[in-house]
Amino acid sequence: MGLDLTTYAMIVEELSRGWISISGIVNTHFIGSYLLMKFGSEEQRQTVPAADGHGRDQAAFSLSEPSSARMSGDQTSARKGEEWEV
């Protein structure tokens, strides 16, 4: 949409007045789109939105912080070749 973050936040806040769950839906989409725009390859930018928009794929992401394992149970991760396994 080309909006600055303050305007975006004001829109989401106003939408949330009528339906609080919308903020989670909109912000999850925003985070995924932002990460794709900022760090995705050109190929990902062309294929991911089309697949998501047609319901063929679903995007997901995980937020973590250094103390998250203590808060949510024992979690470990290890690099397996080019991939990470949690």
Side-chain angles (χ1 to χ4, degrees):
M1 291 173 56
L3 303 174
D4 61 273
L5 288 177
T6 301
T7 304
Y8 169 80
M10 290 172 21
I11 292 170
V12 171
E13 180 180 21
E14 194 61 33
L15 289 171
S16 297
R17 290 179 196 270
W19 181 26
I20 191 65
S21 299
I22 196 72
S23 65
I25 296 165
V26 171
N27 285 321
T28 298
H29 173 76
F30 172 78
I31 292 168
S33 298
Y34 175 79
L35 292 173
L36 182 63
M37 178 187 69
K38 188 79 172 168
F39 302 108
S41 67
E42 187 58 38
E43 180 183 2
Q44 290 170 325
R45 290 186 198 126
Q46 296 299 318
T47 58
V48 171
D52 285 350
H54 289 95
R56 292 191 305 262
D57 291 330
Q58 293 181 356
F61 63 93
S62 174
L63 299 176
S64 64
E65 51 192 79
S67 63
S68 65
R70 289 191 300 271
M71 293 186 294
S72 61
D74 291 334
Q75 297 177 359
T76 60
S77 62
R79 190 156 186 115
K80 303 283 185 178
E82 295 293 313
E83 307 280 326
W84 281 93
E85 182 177 281
V86 179

